[in-house]
């Protein structure tokens, strides 16, 4: 570049500057107007919320916000409780009718509430102390507990840091407001939350699911594979009409499920839309062949209409009264990784065979979550007189709502400068293999016992320890040691409906809810105990409702992995690998179904002849509009689902987050004879760059043994040279891909 080019570049730069300035002023003006409108909206929500028949979901859909946001503005619209012990409702009574009378609502957490200091668990099981050896809450096997006890021998005792005179709130980005988590009402009003829903329990089914014939279609190549053979179709642009016409001109009408293995036809016109979800909705609502319509209903075990998901949508159609079909993405089950339709079909065959060894009546349903829940239901005790033979009770709607609001899922965190250097010596990714399967051996069952701060303070240290090791969920005030210099240990609410962050600054105090496994970890972590004050808590009876189900899935997973390693045919090896990933999805998403999020119904309506937007259902909100259709969604609240057990999902998630920080490897150090531990707290301070559910990203190479067992850390990416620390998700994913490619190339 010479001086002339530099001068010209400066002139061009000034032009860009001059274009930016008016846009910035315009943006500031729009932001001010947006803030004003949001304030007006919130005030209208508060005004309408005092109406005696107002409902949070109706206000939420009309305002375009979440139900939790509405409850934060109008606390009286929070979960309702019955005035007295619940009576058995009429079989035709709805959940809404059961809660028709206004009752005390959930309350926001009070930071000034008195708490009871949790004991120092590091010394609670040491030999010679007389303290009992107790098992931890759903977070690992017995060997993990023994290693937790060993932590007391390897860390120096440190007195809990004194609580500051005034709580120090966790930092919140400028211009945002941290969520307030709900708490249980004080006194009798809160005690009345603790009951089982009448006439609602998880029972073993007395019927077998109907099997559905499947076909597998690559919409990029037109290759279609089904039980009757393989053909190549001309799909044109792979619209819904072209797929239905071409497929059903070839296969019989009893093929009811078409899995798309490659091509993602719902993304063909993505560039025409601002959001992927709009492109998907446009594709699903495209013109249909003569005689076909969007499915209306097909019985109690069927869902009607489309599921508009940006990457794994589900389209449902029917022809006449008797022929029904679904078009789904095989990505719900696994990443096909370039496998052809025949290999994908073989993966489903191998999956069915592996599950058949444990379930005689196994049927692969449309999604892994549906399959997982159905298989679990067939492990419920059925023998007369057996514990829980009458079914696992479903907790009250109030407790389920509390867990929904206060129990997060996987940890997702990007740690950026100045917490870590701007340049790091390397990039390493380790991921826990089949992690959730490690945390299903023990779960809470039945109606939980409430343990208030006063009740906890009145317990002996042994009783407190037993409660903290039981399946539990705690409202706590947390104080981080002043000299703490590692990652955060406990989740705290961040701005956003379901967002969490992990406070880490020494001396900081915050109030949150956390599972028993994480509270345990904070109290007995290998570095320095955190100060925990119990404000309230839920403690369940210990049981193993997931253990038999998970053990069967683990056996199927291991057998498929073995096939993938030793089979002589490469296609069979690939199919077995895909099938093993499908087993992982069955367990992973099966656990997710227990969480029972509020029911979201989606639908679409055709525009009027002149393009008029039709009237959408009452309580729904508009989510998208195309040239021919509008899409909508409606929050239906919590259904009376007999398989709603958020306490199980919350326990597994909490245990998995705790294991991300410190967990057993199942291997002993040959020099010391003590268990080798793994996790972020066993890496140097300042070396952790990110967390992604079950994965840790570090600037130093973790040297942890890998046996291929559930919960083991597998090295998935490695670049042993200097890198620029990622500061955005986009930069993170670039390094993630490069790290995996570098490790793969190094292993060739």
């Amino acid at each position: 570049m010479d001086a002339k080019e530099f001068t010209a570049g400066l002139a061009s730069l000034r032009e860009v500057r001059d274009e930016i300035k008016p846009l910035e002023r315009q943006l500031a003006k729009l932001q001010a107007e947006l803030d004003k409108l949001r304030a007006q909206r919130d005030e209208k929500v508060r005004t309408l919320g005092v109406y005696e028949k107002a409902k949070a979901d109706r206000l939420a859909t009309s305002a375009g916000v979440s139900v939790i946001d509405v409850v934060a503005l109008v606390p009286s619209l929070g979960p309702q409780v019955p005035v007295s012990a619940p009576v058995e409702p009429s079989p035709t009574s709805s959940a809404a009718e059961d809660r028709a009378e206004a009752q005390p609502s959930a309350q926001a957490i009070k930071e000034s509430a008195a708490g009871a200091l949790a004991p120092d668990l590091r010394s609670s099981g040491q030999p010679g102390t007389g303290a009992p050896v107790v098992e931890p809450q759903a977070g690992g096997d017995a060997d993990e507990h023994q290693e937790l006890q060993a932590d007391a021998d390897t860390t120096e005792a440190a007195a809990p840091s004194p609580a500051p005179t005034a709580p120090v709130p966790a930092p919140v980005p400028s211009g945002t407001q941290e969520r307030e988590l709900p708490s249980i009402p004080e006194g009798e009003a809160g005690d009345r939350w603790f009951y089982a829903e009448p006439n609602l329990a998880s029972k073993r089914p007395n019927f077998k699911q109907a099997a559905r014939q499947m076909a597998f279609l690559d919409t990029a190549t037109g290759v279609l594979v089904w039980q009757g053979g393989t053909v190549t179709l001309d799909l044109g642009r792979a619209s819904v009409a072209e797929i239905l016409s071409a497929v059903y001109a070839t296969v019989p009408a009893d093929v009811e499920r078409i899995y798309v293995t490659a091509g993602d036809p719902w993304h063909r016109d993505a560039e025409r839309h601002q959001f992927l979800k709009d492109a998907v909705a446009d594709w699903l609502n495209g013109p249909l062949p003569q005689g076909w319509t969007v499915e209306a209903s097909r019985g109690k075990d069927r869902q009607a209409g489309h599921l508009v998901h940006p990457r794994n949508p589900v389209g449902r159609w029917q022809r006449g009264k008797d022929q029904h079909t679904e078009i789904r993405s095989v990505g719900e089950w696994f990443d096909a990784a370039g496998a052809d339709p025949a290999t994908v079909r073989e993966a489903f065959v191998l999956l069915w065979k592996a599950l058949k060894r444990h379930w005689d009546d196994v049927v692969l349903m449309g999604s892994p979550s549906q399959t997982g829940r159905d298989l679990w239901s067939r492990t419920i005790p059925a023998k007369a007189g057996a514990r829980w033979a009458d079914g696992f009770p479903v907790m009250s709607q109030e407790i389920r709502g509390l867990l929904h609001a206060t129990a997060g899922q996987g940890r997702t965190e990007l740690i950026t400068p100045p917490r870590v250097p701007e340049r790091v010596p390397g990039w390493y990714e380790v991921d826990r293999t089949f992690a959730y399967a490690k945390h299903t051996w023990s779960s809470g069952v039945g109606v939980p016992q409430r343990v208030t701060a006063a009740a906890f303070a009145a317990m002996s240290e042994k009783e407190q320890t037993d409660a903290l090791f039981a399946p539990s969920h705690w409202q706590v005030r947390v104080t981080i040691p002043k000299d703490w210099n590692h990652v955060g240990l406990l989740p705290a609410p961040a701005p956003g409906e379901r967002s969490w962050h992990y406070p880490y600054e020494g001396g900081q105090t915050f109030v949150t809810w956390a599972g028993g496994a994480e509270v345990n970890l904070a109290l007995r972590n290998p570095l320095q105990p955190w100060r925990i004050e119990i404000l309230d808590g839920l403690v369940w009876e210990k049981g193993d409702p997931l253990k038999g189900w998970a053990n069967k899935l683990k056996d199927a997973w291991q057998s498929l992995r073995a096939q993938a390693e030793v089979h002589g045919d490469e296609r069979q090896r690939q199919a077995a690998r895909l099938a093993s990933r499908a087993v992982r999805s069955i367990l992973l998403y099966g656990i997710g179904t227990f969480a029972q999020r509020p029911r979201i119904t989606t639908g679409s309506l055709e525009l009027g002849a002149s393009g008029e937007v039709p009237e959408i259902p009452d309580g729904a909100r508009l989510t998208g509009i195309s040239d021919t259709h509008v899409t909508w969604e409606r929050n239906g609240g919590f259904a009376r689902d007999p398989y709603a057990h958020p306490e199980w999902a919350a326990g597994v998630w909490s245990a998995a987050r705790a294991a991300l920080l410190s967990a057993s490897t199942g291997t002993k150090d040959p020099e010391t004879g003590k268990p080798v531990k793994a996790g972020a707290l066993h890496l140097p301070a300042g070396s952790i760059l990110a967390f992604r559910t079950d994965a840790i990203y570090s600037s130093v190479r973790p040297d942890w043994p890998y046996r291929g067992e559930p919960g083991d850390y597998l090295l998935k990416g490695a670049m042993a040279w200097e890198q620029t620390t990622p500061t955005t998700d986009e930069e993170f994913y670039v390094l993630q891909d490069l790290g995996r490619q570098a490790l793969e190339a190094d292993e060739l």
Side-chain angles (χ1 to χ4, degrees):
M1 178 182 294
D2 56 22
K4 183 177 180 181
E5 289 175 323
F6 180 73
T7 303
L10 290 177
S12 175
L13 184 60
R14 287 191 292 271
E15 290 176 2
V16 175
R17 176 201 64 192
D18 293 341
E19 290 180 7
I20 290 174
K21 282 186 176 180
L23 292 176
E24 287 179 335
R25 289 193 292 269
Q26 186 179 358
L27 180 61
K29 182 179 179 181
L30 288 173
Q31 185 62 52
E33 293 177 1
L34 179 60
D35 292 342
K36 182 178 179 181
L37 288 171
R38 282 176 173 164
Q40 292 177 5
R41 177 197 65 194
D42 293 350
E43 185 57 37
K44 287 182 180 293
V45 169
R46 293 189 187 96
T47 301
L48 295 172
V50 302
Y51 176 52
E52 60 180 1
K53 294 184 179 180
K55 293 186 181 297
D57 60 333
R58 294 285 302 277
L59 286 172
T61 52
S62 297
V65 297
S66 72
V67 173
I68 293 175
D69 291 333
V70 170
V71 172
L73 293 169
V74 191
S76 62
L77 296 180
Q80 306 297 302
V81 295
V83 224
S84 57
V87 296
E88 292 193 4
S90 159
T92 58
S93 298
S94 68
E97 290 167 344
D98 291 340
R99 300 288 177 270
E101 190 170 350
Q103 302 297 335
S105 64
Q107 302 169 346
I109 293 175
K110 297 182 178 66
E111 294 224 5
S112 59
L117 188 64
D120 182 357
L121 294 185
R122 296 178 309 153
S123 59
S124 294
Q126 289 188 60
T129 64
V133 177
V134 288
E135 293 181 350
Q137 184 256 356
D141 296 328
D143 59 344
E144 287 184 280
H145 170 63
Q146 294 168 3
E147 288 138 21
L148 284 172
Q149 300 291 358
D151 285 343
D153 301 325
T154 58
T155 55
E156 295 182 4
S161 304
T165 54
V168 181
V172 178
S174 176
T176 60
Q177 183 176 1
E178 188 166 304
R179 288 181 298 127
E180 276 193 350
L181 296 181
S183 63
I184 305 169
E186 297 177 0
E188 293 183 2
D191 293 340
R192 289 197 293 267
W193 284 25
F194 292 79
Y195 67 92
E197 288 283 0
N199 298 332
L200 196 64
S202 306
K203 297 182 179 180
R204 192 181 187 116
N206 56 7
F207 65 91
K208 181 178 179 179
Q209 294 287 357
R212 314 293 173 191
Q213 293 296 318
M214 295 180 279
F216 300 87
L217 176 65
D218 183 334
T219 60
T221 63
V223 174
L224 174 73
V225 179
W226 82 106
Q227 191 175 22
T230 301
V231 296
T232 300
L233 306 177
D234 181 2
L235 298 177
R237 285 187 48 80
S239 66
V240 171
E242 289 167 317
I243 290 175
L244 292 177
S245 298
V247 169
Y248 286 103
T250 306
V251 305
D254 62 356
V255 171
E256 298 186 50
R257 218 171 264 150
I258 303 169
Y259 280 111
V260 174
T261 65
D264 295 346
W266 37 81
H267 293 161
R268 289 285 172 89
D269 294 323
E271 69 280 354
R272 295 178 46 229
H273 299 273
Q274 185 176 3
F275 302 105
L276 270 182
K277 203 169 183 179
D278 293 338
V280 172
D282 197 23
W283 183 84
L284 289 170
N285 292 311
L288 295 173
Q290 186 175 2
W292 286 90
T293 60
V294 175
E295 185 178 74
S297 64
R298 261 205 292 171
K300 293 182 179 179
D301 64 334
R302 301 303 188 89
Q303 293 177 298
H306 307 315
L307 171 63
V308 183
H309 186 279
R311 300 198 180 277
N312 296 316
V314 181
R316 301 182 178 96
W317 297 271
Q318 65 185 68
R319 180 161 57 179
K321 292 183 178 180
D322 299 324
Q323 184 178 355
H324 302 263
T325 194
E326 292 180 335
I327 296 180
R328 313 183 70 113
S329 169
V330 80
E332 294 180 86
W333 293 85
F334 46 71
D335 178 0
D340 59 49
T343 303
V344 172
R345 181 179 183 275
E346 182 61 24
F348 275 79
V349 172
L350 293 176
L351 171 64
W352 181 84
K353 289 180 178 178
L355 297 175
K356 180 72 173 175
R357 292 172 50 201
H358 300 286
W359 286 276
D360 288 337
D361 51 356
V362 60
V363 170
L364 298 182
M365 303 180 71
S367 69
S369 59
Q370 293 171 324
T371 305
R373 188 167 76 170
D374 182 66
L375 293 178
W376 172 79
S377 71
R378 297 173 193 280
T379 66
I380 298 173
K383 186 178 179 180
R387 183 70 162 139
W388 309 114
D390 294 331
F392 292 99
V394 173
M395 296 181 301
S396 69
Q397 180 176 315
E398 293 75 25
I399 295 296
R400 285 181 282 141
L402 179 73
L403 287 170
H404 169 67
T406 61
Q409 195 171 345
R411 179 170 182 167
T412 299
E413 184 179 15
L414 182 63
I415 299 174
T416 58
R419 288 182 63 186
V420 291
E422 293 185 357
R423 299 280 293 178
V424 290
W427 171 271
Y428 301 93
E429 175 190 2
V430 284
D431 185 78
R432 296 185 70 218
T433 298
F434 205 14
Y436 285 2
K438 183 72 172 177
H439 306 296
T440 53
W441 70 283
S442 177
S443 303
V445 289
V447 177
Q449 175 188 356
R450 183 182 188 183
V451 179
T452 63
F456 190 84
M459 291 177 175
S460 67
E461 185 170 334
K462 175 186 180 303
E463 290 171 330
Q464 290 179 342
T465 300
D466 289 346
L468 290 170
F469 272 99
S472 51
H473 191 65
W474 300 96
Q475 179 187 352
V476 291
R477 181 184 292 112
V478 183
T479 302
I480 304 174
K482 289 184 179 179
D483 54 351
W484 185 260
N485 68 345
H486 219 294
V487 297
L489 304 185
L490 293 174
E497 183 180 352
R498 297 286 300 166
S499 297
W500 302 86
H501 64 166
Y502 294 80
Y504 62 92
E505 293 181 336
Q508 188 178 92
T509 292
F510 60 98
V511 174
T512 191
W513 283 87
E518 291 168 287
V519 173
N520 247 288
L521 188 280
L523 288 167
R524 58 189 303 138
N525 74 80
L527 301 180
Q528 187 179 4
W530 284 23
R531 178 187 174 94
I532 304 291
E533 296 173 78
I534 301 298
L535 303 179
D536 214 335
L538 314 175
V539 178
W540 284 269
E541 175 185 343
K542 186 181 295 183
D544 57 0
L546 304 179
K547 184 177 179 180
W549 170 72
N551 283 344
K552 292 178 179 181
L553 291 176
K554 282 190 281 188
D555 182 79
W557 173 77
Q558 288 169 334
S559 69
L560 289 166
R561 280 168 57 93
Q563 289 184 54
E565 291 176 2
V566 303
H567 204 288
D569 182 82
E570 174 56 32
R571 171 170 284 184
Q572 287 292 313
R573 288 200 298 271
Q574 185 179 18
R577 282 194 295 270
L578 296 179
S580 71
R581 293 171 189 168
V583 174
R584 176 186 176 277
S585 296
I586 288 173
L587 185 134
L588 178 71
Y589 296 118
I591 288 171
T593 63
F594 292 123
Q596 199 235 0
R597 305 300 187 198
R599 181 177 52 191
I600 303 296
T601 304
T602 63
S604 62
L605 293 168
E606 194 171 358
L607 296 177
S610 302
E612 303 93 346
V613 176
E615 184 176 347
I616 63 176
D618 190 28
R621 68 185 183 94
L622 198 65
T623 58
I625 185 167
S626 69
D627 295 338
T628 58
H629 287 75
V630 296
T631 55
W632 54 265
E633 71 177 24
R634 178 169 54 193
N635 187 329
F638 291 98
R640 280 182 58 84
D641 183 354
Y643 299 111
H645 292 286
E647 67 276 20
W648 298 346
V652 171
W653 295 338
S654 174
R657 291 193 299 269
L660 204 59
L661 300 169
S662 182
S664 166
T665 62
T667 302
K668 291 188 176 181
D669 187 320
E671 296 182 2
T672 65
K674 293 182 178 180
V676 176
K677 305 299 287 293
L681 295 182
H682 301 278
L683 292 172
S687 68
I688 307 301
L689 305 177
F691 294 100
R692 284 296 186 277
T693 309
D694 298 317
I696 299 172
Y697 298 82
S698 172
S699 60
V700 300
R701 186 181 185 116
D703 187 21
W704 300 326
Y706 181 74
R707 303 166 300 159
E709 294 293 322
D712 285 356
Y713 279 94
L714 172 66
L715 185 67
K716 293 186 68 175
M719 291 187 287
W721 53 89
E722 191 174 89
Q723 303 290 330
T724 300
T725 303
T727 57
T728 65
D729 284 343
E730 290 76 12
E731 293 172 354
F732 165 82
Y733 287 118
V734 168
L735 280 183
Q736 183 190 65
D737 288 342
L738 291 175
R740 292 177 179 180
Q741 292 170 19
L743 180 62
E744 184 178 359
D746 188 53
E747 292 177 343
L748 291 177

